[in-house]
Amino acid sequence: MAFAMRINFVDVVCDDSMKNIFANGKKVGYQFDIRLSYYRGHFLSVIDEFGVKLDGEEVPTEDIKFCLHGKEFGIAQLHDLVSEFWQITEPATIKIFKDGGIAAGEHDVDVKLMFHSPYMPISDTEYMPIDGCGSKKLTLAEF
C-alpha cells in the first residue's frame, strides 16, 4: 500500500484501560481498549490489517481477540463480520492471551489498524485505505 488517509479525531489507545485478565484465579493475559479514530463508524469487515506490539515485541495474531458488543472475535474472522458495526463512540476491548499476563508498570502499546472506506473507491477494485494506527504508554496497576 503506497498511501493511506489518516484522520486523528481521538487517541486510538484509550487511557487507563490496561489490566490483566484472570481465569480461575490465574493470570491468563491482559487487555486494553481502543477507539476508532475516524469521523464515522464502520463494519468490522473493512479492517484489512490488525496487529499489536507490546514493549516493541509483536504479539502473535492467534493470541489476540477483538471484543465488541460483548462478543470476542479472532483477527482472522474480522473480514467476514459484515454485520458487526463499530461506532466511533464505543471502545473495543483488545484481549491478549499470554500465560502469566504482564507485569505491573508502564508498557508501550502499538496498535496497527488499517481499514478501507467502502464508499471511497480509488479504482474498480480498490477502496481508500485508512490508517487508524495508534500508540500510547499505558500503566498497569496491580491490585
Side-chain angles (χ1 to χ4, degrees):
M1 178 177 336
F3 66 93
M5 188 168 75
R6 180 153 178 93
I7 300 175
N8 290 329
F9 285 105
V10 297
D11 287 345
V12 173
V13 180
C14 298
D15 290 329
D16 304 321
S17 63
M18 183 171 271
K19 57 186 170 185
N20 276 312
I21 302 169
F22 291 84
N24 297 323
K26 294 184 179 187
K27 288 184 205 172
V28 295
Y30 59 96
Q31 68 182 45
F32 57 91
D33 293 341
I34 64 171
R35 291 197 40 208
L36 186 59
S37 184
Y38 199 58
Y39 72 95
R40 59 163 293 179
H42 277 289
F43 290 98
L44 295 183
S45 60
V46 302
I47 297 175
D48 298 315
E49 292 180 59
F50 190 86
V52 175
K53 285 185 182 179
L54 183 73
D55 298 327
E57 191 173 317
E58 189 88 27
V59 174
T61 304
E62 60 273 8
D63 294 343
I64 303 172
K65 293 291 184 189
F66 192 103
C67 308
L68 191 66
H69 309 133
K71 303 172 190 172
E72 291 185 7
F73 306 105
I75 302 309
Q77 293 177 282
L78 295 178
H79 182 72
D80 297 325
L81 298 174
V82 296
S83 62
E84 293 294 334
F85 194 79
W86 187 13
Q87 297 280 356
I88 60 170
T89 57
E90 181 180 9
T93 298
I94 305 305
K95 292 183 179 179
I96 311 292
F97 291 94
K98 177 183 178 182
D99 285 339
I102 56 174
E106 266 191 358
H107 296 278
D108 291 316
V109 178
D110 295 301
V111 173
K112 182 174 189 174
L113 172 59
M114 299 298 293
F115 61 99
H116 64 272
S117 182
Y119 54 86
M120 286 192 212
I122 56 175
S123 76
D124 290 342
T125 58
E126 294 181 289
Y127 295 88
M128 177 61 75
I130 311 292
D131 178 346
C133 301
S135 298
K136 189 171 275 186
K137 200 174 282 285
L138 293 180
T139 301
L140 175 76
E142 261 323 304
F143 296 99

